[in-house]
């Protein structure tokens, strides 16, 4: 009796049990905009007409893009104040989630006139993972080869990681690398954006005089003119839809939470390689901060890759308990709810059309 060839590259029916191996070379190779942003450009950014700062931010970032790869100008020292974008070594987009900061940052990466292999783009977590995998000195050497380093969602939650990445940026700026970062400011906190910018600049004192802070205001575009978040899908509908999708997975919420504890967050992208959609059964509110933060990272990777989410159980708006939402990581949790809600809309659409087998 002939034996079946082993399946090597196809994703498992569950995420539980996968143990992806991610080496330093892949971490470097993955420093490019994710699939959701692989075609964005400044011309495709649609500013909210009611928010003039969005148009201004796009134009200022486009001007900065033109300076990438250009010979450095004599500035009189690192701490000399700069008033024009062309004289800065870095830009910092300060604003709430859902105002298009990532779109603009990815557009900067795409349109900066340096060769593709001379530009790096990643999240704050990806850069801390890179330093962990390579060691600080080796990470500086590898990243110094780039003309531009972009960091999405610079996080001020963890002082240790913040100082680590800030020191990394200082070393890179000393070698002439252009830098760009976005913040994770909440849109509904009056003045908080300014404080986030001040916190960021204080943490990178050696760079503060060379960063151009660009404010981006506005509501979350992912929910602009859209109905309320979708209701949870019945468990049998989740399973039926997943069964009809090639490359889809299904896990219970508690099993998935346990799995994430066994996989380093730097490997969450590899964890969902080849996954076309994920089903999650029995979603419930989380009150454990460690579990919640791991889930935030997974949601970010799913959002980057445009992976629909089909979920049964509690509403996704209740994913994090009020106690967590009042804590220091509130920004992350609200961004995660925003993103998984957008993915859940895609999941509902899949369930409604019956999920063709070639999805």
């Amino acid at each position: 009796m002939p034996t079946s060839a082993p399946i090597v590259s196809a994703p498992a029916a569950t995420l539980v049990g996968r143990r992806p191996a991610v080496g330093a070379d892949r971490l470097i190779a993955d420093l490019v905009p994710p699939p959701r942003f692989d075609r964005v450009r400044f011309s495709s950014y649609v500013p909210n007409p009611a928010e003039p700062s969005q148009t201004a931010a796009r134009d200022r970032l486009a001007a900065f893009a033109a300076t990438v790869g250009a010979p450095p100008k004599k500035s009189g020292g690192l701490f000399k104040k700069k008033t024009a974008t062309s004289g800065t070594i870095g830009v910092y987009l300060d604003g709430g989630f859902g105002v298009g900061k990532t779109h603009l940052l990815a557009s900067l990466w795409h349109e900066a006139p340096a060769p593709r292999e001379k530009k790096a783009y990643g999240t704050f977590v990806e850069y801390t993972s890179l330093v962990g995998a390579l060691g600080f000195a080796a990470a500086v050497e590898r990243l110094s080869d780039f003309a531009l380093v972009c960091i999405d969602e610079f996080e001020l939650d963890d002082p240790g990681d913040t100082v680590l990445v800030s020191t990394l940026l200082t070393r890179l700026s000393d070698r002439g690398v252009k830098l760009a970062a976005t913040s994770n400011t909440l849109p509904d906190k009056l003045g908080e954006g300014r404080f986030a910018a001040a916190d960021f600049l204080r943490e990178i004192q050696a760079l503060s005089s060379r960063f151009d802070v660009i404010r981006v205001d506005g509501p979350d575009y992912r929910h602009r003119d859209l109905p309320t978040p979708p209701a949870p899908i019945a468990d049998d509908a989740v399973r039926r839809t997943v069964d009809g999708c090639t490359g889809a997975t299904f896990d219970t919420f508690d099993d998935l939470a346990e799995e994430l504890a066994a996989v380093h967050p730097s490997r969450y992208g590899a964890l969902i390689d080849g996954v076309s959609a994920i089903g999650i059964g029995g979603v419930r509110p989380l009150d454990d901060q460690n579990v919640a933060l791991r889930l935030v990272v997974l949601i970010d990777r799913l959002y980057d890759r445009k992976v629909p989410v089909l979920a049964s159980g509690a509403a996704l708006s209740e994913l994090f308990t009020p106690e967590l939402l009042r804590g220091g990581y509130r920004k992350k949790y609200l961004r995660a709810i925003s993103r998984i809600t957008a993915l859940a809309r895609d999941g509902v659409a899949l369930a409604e059309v019956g999920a063709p087998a070639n999805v």
Side-chain angles (χ1 to χ4, degrees), residues 20-36:
V22 180
D25 287 341
R26 169 161 179 174
L27 291 174
I28 290 288
D30 282 351
L31 292 177
V32 296
R36 181 175 290 275

Side-chain angles (χ1 to χ4, degrees), residues 135-171:
F136 185 82
V140 170
E141 289 302 317
R142 294 290 291 267
L143 292 174
S144 293
D145 289 336
F146 292 95
L148 172 69
V149 168
C150 299
I151 303 179
D152 196 25
E153 299 296 351
F154 197 104
E155 298 173 0
L156 295 164
D157 313 297
D158 186 316
D161 282 348
T162 300
V163 172
L164 172 70
V165 177
S166 301
T167 305
L168 175 67
L169 297 184
T170 301
R171 299 291 187 272

